[in-house]
Amino acid sequence: MKINITEKGDGTFGLFFDGEEIPLSAQDLKTLLVQITQLLAPDPAIAREADARNQRFLGCVKEASDVDVQLFIQAADHDDVVVLLKAAETDSAVEEKLYKNMSDVSRKIFVEDRDFRFKEAVPKSQIASAFERLNRVADDVRSKGRTDL
């Protein structure tokens, strides 16, 4: 398999697998690098730092206003919210905060997706990448002045 990556000059990169190009932003490339690094050379310090960062994020969700949580859930990718809900199972206050800010229909869909996709534990690499994207969504929504999350 031939793998190559090139910088396109506009802040994007082209990742090539056997001639097939996958366009990536700089942030996507950083996320990919973190995931590959964690898979190939897991460092306990990196894992502890990621866990601490994820716990801080869950704490921010817990302390956020209901309106902020609603805006965040609407802006975030469905699959990332499913991972967030799975991660929140260990913190009943965060889990309750998320569920009470969803409609009954949304809550049912998210719970069914979570239960179907994650009968077992969520792989750490999937949690890390989902939380990375969720943090970017929170930063983006905050930068637009729509939330304090």
Side-chain angles (χ1 to χ4, degrees), residues 16-142:
F16 295 87
F17 289 99
D18 288 333
E20 293 292 322
E21 180 182 11
I22 300 170
L24 298 172
S25 69
Q27 189 59 49
D28 291 336
L29 191 58
K30 288 177 187 176
T31 301
L32 179 62
L33 176 62
V34 167
Q35 290 177 5
I36 290 170
T37 302
Q38 289 173 342
L39 276 172
L40 297 178
D43 179 350
I46 292 173
R48 282 191 302 275
E49 180 183 321
D51 287 343
R53 193 171 49 246
N54 294 349
Q55 289 304 313
R56 283 192 303 274
F57 183 79
L58 291 173
C60 289
V61 170
K62 189 183 331 185
E63 300 300 321
S65 74
D66 289 343
V67 171
D68 288 346
V69 172
Q70 291 165 14
L71 289 169
F72 171 73
I73 290 170
Q74 290 173 354
D77 181 74
H78 176 86
D79 290 342
D80 291 340
V81 175
V82 172
V83 172
L84 176 62
L85 291 170
K86 183 65 176 177
E89 285 182 327
T90 60
D91 189 330
S92 60
V94 175
E95 187 177 39
E96 180 181 329
K97 181 76 157 201
L98 291 166
Y99 285 135
K100 82 174 192 174
N101 285 291
M102 296 178 184
S103 69
D104 291 338
V105 172
S106 290
R107 183 174 29 259
K108 183 176 188 239
I109 291 169
F110 278 115
V111 168
E112 287 176 356
D113 285 354
R114 182 202 62 203
D115 293 346
F116 178 75
R117 289 182 52 206
F118 303 120
K119 292 178 174 106
E120 305 291 322
V122 182
K124 287 191 181 278
S125 62
Q126 191 171 3
I127 291 173
S129 59
F131 270 78
E132 180 72 30
R133 289 187 299 271
L134 290 168
N135 272 298
R136 282 193 309 235
V137 168
D139 290 344
D140 183 55
V141 174
R142 189 183 321 84

